[in-house]
């Protein structure tokens, strides 16, 4: 009996060790692709990029929320949260596009890993954990300053109170992480589907074309946050009427879903925000589920391709 327990513990330790090694490999692989290549001084370069990216959301948050230092927000801050969440979704979407080449396990990874005594579940788990680590690193880093701005400015208003600043800080990071995960896995599904349906050079050309179009679209949206601030002001004014006449198109706007989740976590019990929060959680669960399905189909395709070899 003791020997069986020792063998079980040894096998569990070996499996955990493989998972850690694979996760570390896949995480480093995310910084070694055709678009981004941080082989040397990876940690320093990543920290520098995150520090630069964190300044812009903090500036936008300061511009949106500064007035609440002078006047209590009294339940109106959700509109500014929609604008800010849109910015975060665009930034994370842009980062995801730069990682398209390494989000899924490619043919080279399969060729190297399949001969080893590693279960497919361990490979999938390591890949998913590495993506969560990558996503968490950038989402928390990008929002590190803006979360302080939200907590500092809104905790001064009557609606939250000074003692809830820490709760607001954590809520901001949690909701932005959920929103970032939604857009990250949504964008990640696109190349995964193409790897299943298409082959060879045609897939590569179409993938490059789609990525170029999506990058251009994201940069175009960022233009309004950087230069055309009057557009942001007009959009903010139009958001005020959404609660009164919420059209189906508006209710399908992802930043609004996660704003609803933000409000619910802060204790707002309005039905309008509860419906939006439900949509946010449902959408997040759906895209993660589809992502795993695409991984499974991609795995089967690679196995069939490797069988003759």
């Amino acid at each position: 009996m003791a020997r069986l327990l020792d063998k079980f513990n040894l096998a569990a330790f070996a499996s955990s060790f493989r998972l850690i090694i694979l996760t570390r490999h896949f995480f480093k692989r995310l910084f070694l692709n055709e678009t981004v290549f941080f082989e040397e001084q990876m940690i320093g370069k990543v920290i520098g990029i995150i520090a630069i990216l964190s300044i812009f959301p903090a500036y936008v948050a300061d511009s949106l929320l500064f007035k609440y230092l002078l006047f209590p927000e009294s339940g109106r801050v959700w509109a500014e949260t929609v604008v800010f969440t849109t910015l975060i979704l665009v930034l994370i979407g842009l980062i995801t596009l730069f990682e398209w080449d390494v989000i899924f396990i490619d043919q080279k990874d399969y060729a190297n890993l399949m001969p080893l005594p590693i279960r497919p579940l361990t490979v999938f788990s390591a890949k998913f954990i590495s993506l969560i680590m990558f996503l968490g690193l950038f989402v928390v880093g990008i929002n590190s300053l803006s979360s302080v701005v939200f907590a500092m400015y809104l905790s001064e208003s009557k609606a939250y109170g000074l003692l809830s600043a820490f709760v607001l800080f954590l809520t901001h990071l949690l909701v932005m992480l959920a929103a970032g995960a939604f857009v990250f896995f949504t964008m990640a599904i696109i190349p995964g589907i193409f790897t299943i349906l298409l082959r060879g050079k045609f897939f590569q050309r179409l993938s490059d074309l789609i990525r170029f179009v999506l990058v251009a679209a994201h940069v175009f949206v960022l233009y309004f946050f950087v230069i055309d601030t009057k557009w942001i002001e007009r959009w903010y004014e139009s958001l005020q009427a959404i609660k009164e006449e919420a059209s189906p198109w508006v209710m399908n706007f992802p930043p609004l879903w996660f704003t609803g989740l933000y409000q619910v976590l802060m204790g707002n019990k309005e039905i309008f925000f509860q419906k939006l929060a439900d949509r946010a959680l449902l959408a997040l669960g759906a895209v993660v589920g589809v992502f795993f399905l695409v991984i499974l189909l991609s795995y089967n395709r690679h196995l069939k391709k490797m069988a003759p070899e």
Side-chain angles (χ1 to χ4, degrees), residues 5-289:
L5 289 176
D6 290 340
K7 289 182 179 180
F8 177 79
N9 292 332
L10 183 61
F13 174 78
S15 178
S16 300
F17 184 73
R18 294 190 192 101
L19 179 63
I20 294 172
I21 295 298
L22 276 177
T23 301
R24 181 172 177 270
H25 163 74
F26 285 135
F27 182 75
K28 292 184 66 175
R29 182 80 170 83
L30 292 170
F31 298 96
L32 300 173
N33 57 67
E34 295 180 0
T35 308
V36 180
F37 198 85
F38 289 165
E39 184 175 14
E40 298 180 358
Q41 299 179 346
M42 184 186 75
I43 296 178
K45 291 179 180 178
V46 171
I47 292 176
I49 290 176
I50 292 176
I52 293 173
L53 291 177
S54 66
I55 296 174
F56 183 44
Y59 169 77
V60 173
D62 177 76
S63 301
L64 293 171
L65 303 178
F66 181 78
K67 58 188 175 184
Y68 294 127
L69 282 177
L70 306 176
F71 307 100
E73 60 94 0
S74 65
R76 294 173 298 177
V77 75
W78 69 270
E80 285 89 347
T81 307
V82 174
V83 176
F84 183 83
T85 305
T86 303
L87 172 63
I88 296 301
L89 289 177
V90 172
L91 289 176
I92 298 300
L94 196 57
I95 292 172
T96 307
L97 290 171
F98 286 115
E99 296 295 323
W100 259 25
D101 300 330
V102 290
I103 288 179
F104 284 88
I105 305 173
D106 58 18
Q107 186 71 16
K108 185 182 296 185
D109 289 325
Y110 280 107
N112 292 331
L113 295 175
M114 287 304 101
L116 301 178
I118 303 174
R119 295 180 299 174
L121 180 61
T122 302
V123 177
F124 295 155
S125 300
K127 185 62 177 179
F128 184 72
I129 294 172
S130 69
L131 293 176
I132 294 297
M133 290 172 57
F134 177 85
L135 177 65
L137 174 67
F138 274 89
V139 172
V140 173
I142 290 174
N143 286 281
S144 57
L145 296 179
S146 63
S147 58
V148 174
V149 173
F150 267 78
M152 181 176 64
Y153 285 14
L154 297 185
S155 64
E156 294 293 333
S157 67
K158 295 180 180 179
Y160 296 102
L162 184 61
L163 296 179
S164 65
F166 183 68
V167 175
L168 184 59
F169 175 84
L170 294 180
T171 300
H172 182 84
L173 288 180
L174 179 61
V175 173
M176 293 306 126
L177 181 60
F182 168 77
V183 70
F184 181 85
F185 288 109
T186 299
M187 301 291 290
I189 289 170
I190 300 174
I193 293 176
F194 283 125
T195 58
I196 297 170
L197 300 178
L198 304 177
R199 300 288 190 275
K201 295 182 179 180
F202 181 74
F203 157 71
Q204 189 62 45
R205 292 173 181 174
L206 182 61
S207 177
D208 291 340
L209 176 61
I210 293 175
R211 178 158 64 171
F212 174 78
V213 172
L214 289 174
V215 168
H218 281 70
V219 173
F220 179 74
V221 174
L222 286 177
Y223 159 81
F224 293 102
F225 285 94
V226 177
I227 299 177
D228 195 356
T229 56
K230 291 184 178 180
W231 177 84
I232 297 295
E233 294 176 1
R234 292 194 298 269
W235 183 32
Y236 168 73
E237 293 174 358
S238 65
L239 285 172
Q240 304 297 326
I242 286 179
K243 288 176 65 177
E244 305 298 332
E245 299 179 2
S247 65
W249 182 87
V250 170
M251 294 297 288
N252 290 324
F253 187 50
L256 194 59
W257 301 343
F258 292 95
T259 298
L261 181 62
Y262 203 127
Q263 290 295 310
V264 169
L265 291 178
M266 288 307 299
N268 194 325
K269 297 182 180 180
E270 294 184 46
I271 297 177
F272 174 73
F273 293 120
Q274 290 178 357
K275 289 182 178 180
L276 292 174
D278 292 340
R279 292 195 178 203
L281 296 176
L282 181 62
L284 180 58
V287 295
V288 172

Side-chain angles (χ1 to χ4, degrees), residues 283-300:
L284 180 58
V287 295
V288 172
V290 173
F291 179 79
F292 274 106
L293 179 61
V294 172
I295 283 183
L296 180 60
L297 294 175
S298 176
Y299 171 73
N300 291 332

